[in-house]
């Protein structure tokens, strides 16, 4: 019975897995991600430190899939499935698309589980104040690209 209680507690701590799909300039795009909650914590610069590689969500890596070649912030991303990592900053973010997918988001030492040799594309974007408070990390897809929003921050990524 004790093992059941411990197991239940561990599962309860996992963030829900979310999927969002949409069309951007004729390409079908899907983003699958773990959606952690703020739960009264300071997120940016604290729970998620500035200047450090982040798995961009919770639990398994965030995955981005497109059925057609697309240009993200003017740079080509071939059709396929990718993991997304980011390096958040106060004034700019690096967004990294990596060809390895399906792995847990962090290594045993707590660092992001990104193999830089498999990075396919890195772009730089500007974060902005979101239109409201977002308790859960969310991705939305629109006709201009996609947006990560959490707490009081939004990170738009343009797709050409």
């Amino acid at each position: 019975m004790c093992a059941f209680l411990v197991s239940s507690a561990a599962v309860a701590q996992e963030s829900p897995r979310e999927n969002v799909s949409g069309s951007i300039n004729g390409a079908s795009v899907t983003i699958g991600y773990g959606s952690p909650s703020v739960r009264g914590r300071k997120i940016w610069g604290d729970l998620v430190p500035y200047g450090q590689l982040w798995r961009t969500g919770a639990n398994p890596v965030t995955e981005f899939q497109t059925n057609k070649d697309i240009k993200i912030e003017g740079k080509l991303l071939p059709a396929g499935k990718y993991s997304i990592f980011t390096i958040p900053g106060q004034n700019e973010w690096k967004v990294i698309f990596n060809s390895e997918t399906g792995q847990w988001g962090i290594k045993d030492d707590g660092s992001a589980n990104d193999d830089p040799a498999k990075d396919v594309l890195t772009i730089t974007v500007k974060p902005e104040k979101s239109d409201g408070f977002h308790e859960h990390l969310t991705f939305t897809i629109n006709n201009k690209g996609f947006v990560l929003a959490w707490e009081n921050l939004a990170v738009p990524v343009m797709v050409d």
Side-chain angles (χ1 to χ4, degrees), residues 41-112:
R41 302 174 290 184
K42 181 178 180 334
I43 302 302
W44 307 115
D46 191 23
L47 181 67
V48 178
Y50 292 129
Q52 292 183 21
L53 188 65
W54 178 44
R55 63 178 159 179
T56 316
N59 309 323
V61 293
T62 293
E63 293 184 340
F64 180 94
Q65 187 167 351
T66 176
N67 69 336
K68 294 184 178 178
D69 293 357
I70 55 177
K71 285 192 175 181
I72 297 183
E73 298 288 335
K75 296 181 179 181
L76 180 66
L77 181 70
K81 189 174 188 178
Y82 303 92
S83 56
I84 297 178
F85 294 91
T86 53
I87 302 174
Q90 289 181 296
N91 300 314
E92 69 178 22
W93 281 43
K94 292 199 182 301
V95 180
I96 302 161
F97 294 83
N98 184 286
S99 64
E100 184 177 10
T101 61
Q103 72 273 31
W104 195 253
I106 57 174
K107 300 176 188 172
D108 289 341
D109 66 3
S111 64

Coordinates of all heavy atoms in Angstrom, one line a residue, residues 41-112:
R41 N 4.6 30.7 -8.0 CA 6.1 30.8 -8.1 C 6.5 32.0 -9.1 O 5.7 32.3 -10.0 CB 6.7 29.5 -8.7 CG 6.4 28.3 -7.8 CD 6.9 27.0 -8.4 NE 6.1 26.7 -9.6 CZ 6.2 25.6 -10.3 NH1 7.1 24.7 -9.9 NH2 5.4 25.3 -11.3
K42 N 7.7 32.5 -8.9 CA 8.2 33.5 -9.9 C 8.9 32.6 -11.0 O 9.7 31.8 -10.7 CB 9.2 34.4 -9.2 CG 9.8 35.4 -10.2 CD 10.8 36.3 -9.5 CE 11.5 37.3 -10.3 NZ 11.6 37.2 -11.7
I43 N 8.4 32.8 -12.2 CA 8.9 31.9 -13.3 C 10.2 32.4 -13.9 O 11.2 31.8 -13.8 CB 7.8 31.7 -14.3 CG1 6.5 31.1 -13.7 CG2 8.3 30.8 -15.5 CD1 6.7 29.8 -13.0
W44 N 10.1 33.6 -14.6 CA 11.2 34.0 -15.4 C 12.3 34.6 -14.6 O 12.1 35.5 -13.8 CB 10.7 35.0 -16.4 CG 9.5 34.4 -17.2 CD1 8.3 34.8 -17.2 CD2 9.6 33.2 -18.0 NE1 7.5 34.0 -17.9 CE2 8.3 33.0 -18.4 CE3 10.6 32.3 -18.3 CZ2 8.0 31.9 -19.2 CZ3 10.3 31.2 -19.1 CH2 9.0 31.0 -19.6
G45 N 13.5 34.1 -14.7 CA 14.7 34.6 -14.0 C 14.8 33.9 -12.7 O 15.7 34.1 -11.9
D46 N 13.9 33.0 -12.3 CA 13.9 32.3 -11.1 C 13.7 30.8 -11.3 O 14.7 30.0 -11.5 CB 12.8 32.8 -10.1 CG 13.0 32.3 -8.7 OD1 14.1 31.9 -8.3 OD2 12.0 32.3 -8.0
L47 N 12.5 30.3 -11.4 CA 12.3 28.9 -11.7 C 12.9 28.5 -13.0 O 13.5 27.5 -13.2 CB 10.8 28.6 -11.7 CG 10.4 27.1 -12.0 CD1 10.8 26.2 -10.9 CD2 8.9 27.0 -12.3
V48 N 12.7 29.4 -14.0 CA 13.4 29.3 -15.3 C 14.5 30.4 -15.4 O 14.1 31.5 -15.7 CB 12.4 29.4 -16.5 CG1 13.1 29.3 -17.8 CG2 11.3 28.3 -16.4
P49 N 15.7 30.0 -15.1 CA 16.8 31.1 -15.1 C 17.0 31.7 -16.5 O 16.9 31.0 -17.5 CB 18.0 30.3 -14.6 CG 17.5 29.0 -14.1 CD 16.2 28.7 -14.8
Y50 N 17.4 32.9 -16.5 CA 17.8 33.6 -17.7 C 19.2 33.0 -18.1 O 20.0 32.7 -17.3 CB 17.9 35.1 -17.6 CG 16.6 35.8 -17.4 CD1 16.3 36.6 -16.3 CD2 15.5 35.5 -18.3 CE1 15.1 37.2 -16.2 CE2 14.3 36.1 -18.1 CZ 14.1 37.0 -17.1 OH 12.9 37.6 -16.9
G51 N 19.4 33.0 -19.4 CA 20.7 32.6 -20.0 C 21.1 31.1 -19.9 O 22.2 30.8 -20.2
Q52 N 20.2 30.3 -19.5 CA 20.4 28.8 -19.4 C 19.5 28.1 -20.3 O 18.3 28.4 -20.4 CB 20.3 28.3 -18.0 CG 21.3 28.9 -17.0 CD 21.2 28.3 -15.6 OE1 20.6 27.2 -15.4 NE2 21.7 29.0 -14.7
L53 N 20.0 27.0 -20.9 CA 19.2 26.2 -21.8 C 18.0 25.6 -21.0 O 18.2 25.0 -19.9 CB 20.1 25.0 -22.4 CG 19.4 24.2 -23.4 CD1 19.2 25.0 -24.7 CD2 20.4 23.0 -23.7
W54 N 16.8 25.7 -21.5 CA 15.6 25.2 -20.9 C 14.9 24.2 -21.8 O 14.8 24.4 -23.0 CB 14.7 26.4 -20.6 CG 13.4 26.1 -19.9 CD1 13.2 25.2 -18.9 CD2 12.1 26.6 -20.2 NE1 11.8 25.1 -18.6 CE2 11.2 26.0 -19.4 CE3 11.7 27.6 -21.2 CZ2 9.8 26.4 -19.4 CZ3 10.3 27.9 -21.2 CH2 9.4 27.3 -20.3
R55 N 14.3 23.2 -21.3 CA 13.6 22.2 -22.0 C 12.3 22.7 -22.6 O 11.6 22.0 -23.4 CB 13.3 20.9 -21.2 CG 12.4 21.2 -20.0 CD 12.2 19.9 -19.3 NE 11.8 20.2 -17.9 CZ 11.5 19.2 -17.1 NH1 11.5 17.9 -17.4 NH2 11.1 19.5 -15.8
T56 N 11.8 23.9 -22.2 CA 10.7 24.6 -22.8 C 9.4 23.8 -22.5 O 8.7 23.4 -23.4 CB 10.8 24.9 -24.3 OG1 12.2 25.4 -24.5 CG2 9.8 25.9 -24.7
G57 N 9.1 23.6 -21.3 CA 7.9 22.9 -20.8 C 8.3 22.0 -19.7 O 9.2 22.3 -18.9
A58 N 7.6 20.9 -19.6 CA 7.8 20.0 -18.5 C 7.8 18.5 -19.0 O 7.2 18.3 -20.0 CB 6.7 20.1 -17.4
N59 N 8.4 17.7 -18.2 CA 8.4 16.2 -18.5 C 9.1 15.9 -19.9 O 10.2 16.4 -20.1 CB 7.0 15.7 -18.4 CG 6.4 16.1 -17.1 OD1 7.1 16.1 -16.0 ND2 5.1 16.4 -17.1
P60 N 8.5 15.1 -20.8 CA 9.2 14.9 -22.0 C 9.4 16.2 -22.8 O 8.7 17.1 -22.6 CB 8.3 13.9 -22.8 CG 7.5 13.3 -21.8 CD 7.3 14.3 -20.7
V61 N 10.4 16.2 -23.7 CA 10.7 17.4 -24.5 C 9.4 17.9 -25.3 O 8.6 17.1 -25.6 CB 11.8 17.2 -25.5 CG1 13.1 17.0 -24.8 CG2 11.5 16.1 -26.5
T62 N 9.4 19.2 -25.5 CA 8.4 19.8 -26.3 C 8.7 19.4 -27.8 O 9.8 19.5 -28.2 CB 8.3 21.3 -26.2 OG1 7.9 21.6 -24.8 CG2 7.4 22.0 -27.2
E63 N 7.7 18.9 -28.5 CA 7.9 18.5 -29.9 C 7.1 19.4 -30.9 O 6.0 19.7 -30.6 CB 7.5 17.0 -30.1 CG 8.5 16.1 -29.3 CD 8.2 14.7 -29.5 OE1 7.1 14.3 -29.9 OE2 9.2 13.9 -29.2
F64 N 7.8 19.7 -31.9 CA 7.2 20.6 -33.0 C 7.3 19.7 -34.3 O 8.3 19.2 -34.6 CB 8.1 21.8 -33.1 CG 7.7 22.8 -34.2 CD1 6.8 23.8 -33.9 CD2 8.1 22.6 -35.5 CE1 6.4 24.7 -34.9 CE2 7.7 23.5 -36.5 CZ 6.8 24.6 -36.2
Q65 N 6.2 19.7 -35.0 CA 6.1 18.9 -36.2 C 5.5 19.7 -37.3 O 4.5 20.4 -37.1 CB 5.3 17.6 -36.0 CG 5.4 16.7 -37.2 CD 4.9 15.3 -36.9 OE1 4.7 14.9 -35.7 NE2 4.7 14.5 -37.9
T66 N 6.1 19.7 -38.5 CA 5.5 20.3 -39.7 C 5.6 19.4 -40.9 O 6.5 18.6 -41.0 CB 6.3 21.6 -40.0 OG1 5.7 22.2 -41.2 CG2 7.8 21.5 -40.2
N67 N 4.5 19.4 -41.7 CA 4.5 18.5 -42.8 C 5.1 19.1 -44.1 O 5.2 18.4 -45.1 CB 3.0 18.0 -43.1 CG 2.2 19.2 -43.7 OD1 2.4 20.4 -43.4 ND2 1.1 18.8 -44.3
K68 N 5.5 20.4 -44.0 CA 6.1 21.0 -45.2 C 7.3 21.9 -44.7 O 7.4 22.3 -43.5 CB 5.1 22.0 -45.8 CG 4.0 21.3 -46.5 CD 3.1 22.3 -47.2 CE 2.0 21.6 -47.9 NZ 1.1 22.5 -48.6
D69 N 8.2 22.1 -45.6 CA 9.3 23.0 -45.2 C 8.7 24.4 -44.9 O 7.8 24.8 -45.6 CB 10.3 23.2 -46.4 CG 11.1 22.0 -46.8 OD1 10.9 20.9 -46.1 OD2 11.8 22.0 -47.8
I70 N 9.2 25.0 -43.9 CA 8.8 26.4 -43.5 C 10.0 27.3 -43.2 O 11.1 26.7 -42.9 CB 7.8 26.4 -42.3 CG1 8.4 25.6 -41.1 CG2 6.5 25.7 -42.7 CD1 7.6 25.6 -39.8
K71 N 9.8 28.5 -43.2 CA 10.8 29.5 -42.8 C 10.4 30.1 -41.4 O 9.3 30.6 -41.3 CB 11.0 30.6 -43.8 CG 11.8 30.1 -45.0 CD 12.2 31.3 -45.8 CE 13.1 30.8 -47.0 NZ 13.5 31.9 -47.8
I72 N 11.2 29.9 -40.4 CA 11.0 30.4 -39.1 C 11.9 31.6 -38.9 O 13.2 31.4 -39.0 CB 11.2 29.4 -38.0 CG1 10.2 28.2 -38.2 CG2 11.1 30.0 -36.6 CD1 10.2 27.1 -37.2
E73 N 11.3 32.8 -38.7 CA 12.1 34.0 -38.6 C 13.1 34.1 -39.7 O 14.2 34.5 -39.6 CB 12.9 34.1 -37.2 CG 11.9 34.1 -36.0 CD 11.2 35.4 -35.8 OE1 11.6 36.4 -36.2 OE2 10.1 35.3 -35.1
G74 N 12.6 33.7 -40.9 CA 13.4 33.9 -42.2 C 14.4 32.7 -42.4 O 15.1 32.8 -43.5
K75 N 14.5 31.7 -41.5 CA 15.4 30.6 -41.7 C 14.7 29.3 -42.0 O 13.7 29.1 -41.4 CB 16.3 30.5 -40.5 CG 17.2 31.7 -40.2 CD 18.1 31.4 -39.0 CE 19.0 32.6 -38.7 NZ 19.8 32.3 -37.5
L76 N 15.2 28.5 -42.9 CA 14.5 27.3 -43.4 C 14.6 26.2 -42.3 O 15.6 25.9 -41.7 CB 15.2 26.8 -44.6 CG 14.6 25.5 -45.2 CD1 13.2 25.7 -45.7 CD2 15.5 24.9 -46.3
L77 N 13.4 25.6 -42.0 CA 13.3 24.5 -41.2 C 12.6 23.4 -42.1 O 11.4 23.5 -42.5 CB 12.4 24.7 -40.0 CG 12.3 23.5 -39.0 CD1 13.6 23.2 -38.3 CD2 11.2 23.7 -38.0
P78 N 13.3 22.3 -42.4 CA 12.7 21.3 -43.3 C 11.6 20.6 -42.6 O 11.5 20.5 -41.4 CB 13.9 20.3 -43.5 CG 15.1 21.1 -43.2 CD 14.7 22.1 -42.2
A79 N 10.7 20.1 -43.4 CA 9.5 19.3 -42.9 C 10.1 18.2 -42.0 O 11.1 17.6 -42.3 CB 8.7 18.7 -44.0
G80 N 9.4 17.9 -40.9 CA 9.8 16.9 -40.0 C 9.4 17.1 -38.6 O 8.5 18.0 -38.3
K81 N 9.9 16.4 -37.6 CA 9.6 16.4 -36.2 C 10.8 16.8 -35.4 O 11.9 16.3 -35.7 CB 9.1 15.1 -35.7 CG 8.5 15.1 -34.4 CD 7.9 13.7 -34.1 CE 7.1 13.7 -32.8 NZ 6.5 12.4 -32.6
Y82 N 10.7 17.8 -34.5 CA 11.8 18.3 -33.8 C 11.5 18.5 -32.3 O 10.3 18.7 -32.0 CB 12.2 19.7 -34.4 CG 12.5 19.7 -35.8 CD1 11.5 19.9 -36.8 CD2 13.8 19.4 -36.2 CE1 11.8 19.9 -38.1 CE2 14.1 19.4 -37.6 CZ 13.1 19.6 -38.5 OH 13.4 19.5 -39.9
S83 N 12.5 18.5 -31.5 CA 12.3 19.0 -30.1 C 12.6 20.4 -30.1 O 13.4 20.9 -30.9 CB 13.1 18.2 -29.1 OG 14.5 18.2 -29.5
I84 N 12.0 21.2 -29.1 CA 12.3 22.6 -29.0 C 12.9 22.8 -27.6 O 12.4 22.4 -26.6 CB 11.0 23.4 -29.1 CG1 10.3 23.3 -30.4 CG2 11.3 24.9 -28.8 CD1 9.0 24.1 -30.5
F85 N 14.0 23.5 -27.7 CA 14.7 24.0 -26.5 C 14.8 25.5 -26.6 O 14.8 26.1 -27.7 CB 16.1 23.4 -26.3 CG 16.1 21.9 -26.1 CD1 16.1 21.0 -27.1 CD2 16.0 21.4 -24.8 CE1 16.1 19.7 -26.9 CE2 16.0 20.1 -24.6 CZ 16.0 19.2 -25.7
T86 N 14.9 26.2 -25.5 CA 15.1 27.7 -25.5 C 16.1 28.1 -24.5 O 16.5 27.4 -23.6 CB 13.8 28.4 -25.2 OG1 13.3 27.9 -24.0 CG2 12.7 28.2 -26.3
I87 N 16.7 29.3 -24.8 CA 17.5 30.0 -23.8 C 16.8 31.3 -23.6 O 17.0 32.3 -24.3 CB 19.0 30.2 -24.3 CG1 19.6 28.8 -24.7 CG2 19.8 30.9 -23.3 CD1 21.0 28.9 -25.3
P88 N 16.1 31.4 -22.5 CA 15.3 32.6 -22.2 C 16.3 33.7 -21.7 O 17.3 33.5 -21.1 CB 14.4 32.2 -21.0 CG 14.4 30.7 -21.0 CD 15.7 30.3 -21.6
G89 N 15.9 35.0 -22.1 CA 16.6 36.1 -21.7 C 15.6 37.2 -21.4 O 14.5 37.2 -21.9
Q90 N 16.0 38.3 -20.7 CA 15.1 39.4 -20.4 C 14.7 40.1 -21.7 O 13.6 40.5 -21.8 CB 15.7 40.3 -19.4 CG 15.8 39.8 -18.0 CD 16.4 40.8 -17.0 OE1 17.5 41.1 -17.1 NE2 15.5 41.2 -16.1
N91 N 15.7 40.2 -22.6 CA 15.4 41.0 -23.8 C 15.4 40.2 -25.1 O 14.9 40.7 -26.1 CB 16.5 42.1 -24.0 CG 16.5 43.1 -22.8 OD1 15.4 43.5 -22.4 ND2 17.6 43.3 -22.2
E92 N 15.9 39.0 -25.1 CA 15.8 38.1 -26.3 C 15.9 36.7 -25.8 O 16.4 36.3 -24.8 CB 16.8 38.5 -27.3 CG 18.3 38.1 -26.9 CD 19.3 38.5 -28.0 OE1 19.0 39.3 -28.9 OE2 20.3 37.9 -28.0
W93 N 15.3 35.8 -26.7 CA 15.3 34.4 -26.4 C 15.9 33.7 -27.6 O 15.7 34.1 -28.8 CB 13.9 33.8 -26.3 CG 13.2 34.0 -25.0 CD1 13.2 35.2 -24.2 CD2 12.4 33.1 -24.3 NE1 12.5 34.9 -23.1 CE2 11.9 33.7 -23.1 CE3 12.0 31.8 -24.6 CZ2 11.1 33.0 -22.2 CZ3 11.2 31.1 -23.7 CH2 10.8 31.7 -22.5
K94 N 16.6 32.6 -27.4 CA 17.1 31.8 -28.5 C 16.1 30.6 -28.5 O 15.8 30.0 -27.4 CB 18.5 31.3 -28.3 CG 19.5 32.4 -28.4 CD 20.9 31.9 -28.7 CE 21.9 33.0 -28.8 NZ 21.6 34.0 -29.8
V95 N 15.6 30.2 -29.7 CA 14.7 29.1 -29.8 C 15.5 28.1 -30.7 O 15.9 28.4 -31.8 CB 13.4 29.5 -30.5 CG1 12.5 28.2 -30.6 CG2 12.7 30.5 -29.6
I96 N 15.6 26.8 -30.2 CA 16.4 25.8 -30.8 C 15.5 24.7 -31.3 O 14.8 24.1 -30.5 CB 17.5 25.3 -29.9 CG1 18.4 26.5 -29.4 CG2 18.4 24.2 -30.5 CD1 19.2 26.2 -28.2
F97 N 15.6 24.3 -32.5 CA 14.9 23.1 -33.1 C 16.0 22.0 -33.2 O 17.0 22.2 -33.9 CB 14.3 23.4 -34.4 CG 13.2 24.4 -34.3 CD1 13.5 25.8 -34.2 CD2 11.8 24.0 -34.2 CE1 12.4 26.7 -34.1 CE2 10.8 25.0 -34.0 CZ 11.1 26.3 -34.0
N98 N 15.7 20.9 -32.6 CA 16.7 19.8 -32.5 C 16.1 18.5 -33.1 O 14.9 18.2 -32.9 CB 17.1 19.5 -31.0 CG 18.1 18.5 -30.8 OD1 17.9 17.3 -31.0 ND2 19.3 19.0 -30.5
S99 N 16.9 17.7 -33.9 CA 16.3 16.6 -34.6 C 16.0 15.4 -33.7 O 15.3 14.5 -34.1 CB 17.3 16.2 -35.7 OG 18.5 15.7 -35.2
E100 N 16.5 15.4 -32.5 CA 16.3 14.2 -31.5 C 14.9 14.5 -30.8 O 14.7 15.6 -30.3 CB 17.4 14.1 -30.5 CG 17.2 12.9 -29.6 CD 18.4 12.7 -28.6 OE1 19.2 13.6 -28.5 OE2 18.4 11.7 -28.0
T101 N 14.0 13.5 -30.9 CA 12.7 13.7 -30.2 C 12.5 12.4 -29.3 O 13.1 11.4 -29.5 CB 11.6 13.8 -31.3 OG1 11.6 12.6 -32.1 CG2 11.8 15.0 -32.1
G102 N 11.5 12.6 -28.5 CA 11.0 11.5 -27.6 C 11.8 11.3 -26.3 O 11.4 10.5 -25.5
Q103 N 12.8 12.1 -26.1 CA 13.6 12.0 -24.8 C 12.9 12.7 -23.7 O 12.1 13.6 -23.9 CB 15.0 12.4 -25.0 CG 15.3 13.9 -25.2 CD 15.1 14.4 -26.6 OE1 14.4 13.9 -27.4 NE2 15.9 15.4 -26.9
W104 N 13.3 12.4 -22.5 CA 12.8 13.1 -21.3 C 13.5 14.5 -21.4 O 14.6 14.6 -21.9 CB 13.2 12.4 -20.0 CG 12.5 12.9 -18.8 CD1 13.1 13.7 -17.8 CD2 11.2 12.8 -18.4 NE1 12.2 14.0 -16.9 CE2 11.0 13.4 -17.2 CE3 10.1 12.1 -19.0 CZ2 9.7 13.5 -16.6 CZ3 8.9 12.2 -18.4 CH2 8.7 12.8 -17.2
G105 N 12.9 15.5 -20.9 CA 13.3 16.9 -21.0 C 14.6 17.3 -20.3 O 15.3 18.2 -20.7
I106 N 14.9 16.6 -19.2 CA 16.1 16.9 -18.5 C 16.9 15.6 -18.2 O 16.4 14.5 -18.2 CB 15.9 17.6 -17.2 CG1 14.9 16.8 -16.3 CG2 15.3 19.0 -17.4 CD1 14.7 17.4 -14.9
K107 N 18.2 15.8 -18.0 CA 19.1 14.7 -17.7 C 19.1 14.5 -16.1 O 18.5 15.3 -15.4 CB 20.6 15.1 -18.1 CG 20.7 15.3 -19.6 CD 22.1 15.8 -19.9 CE 22.2 16.2 -21.4 NZ 23.5 16.8 -21.7
D108 N 19.8 13.5 -15.7 CA 19.8 13.2 -14.2 C 20.3 14.4 -13.4 O 20.0 14.6 -12.2 CB 20.7 12.0 -13.9 CG 20.0 10.7 -14.4 OD1 18.8 10.7 -14.6 OD2 20.7 9.7 -14.6
D109 N 21.2 15.2 -14.0 CA 21.8 16.3 -13.2 C 20.9 17.6 -13.3 O 21.3 18.6 -12.7 CB 23.2 16.7 -13.7 CG 23.2 17.2 -15.2 OD1 22.2 17.4 -15.8 OD2 24.3 17.4 -15.7
G110 N 19.7 17.5 -13.9 CA 18.8 18.6 -14.0 C 19.0 19.5 -15.2 O 18.2 20.4 -15.4
S111 N 20.0 19.3 -16.0 CA 20.2 20.1 -17.2 C 19.3 19.7 -18.3 O 18.9 18.5 -18.4 CB 21.7 20.1 -17.6 OG 22.1 18.8 -18.0
A112 N 19.1 20.6 -19.3 CA 18.2 20.2 -20.4 C 18.9 19.1 -21.2 O 20.1 19.1 -21.4 CB 18.0 21.5 -21.3

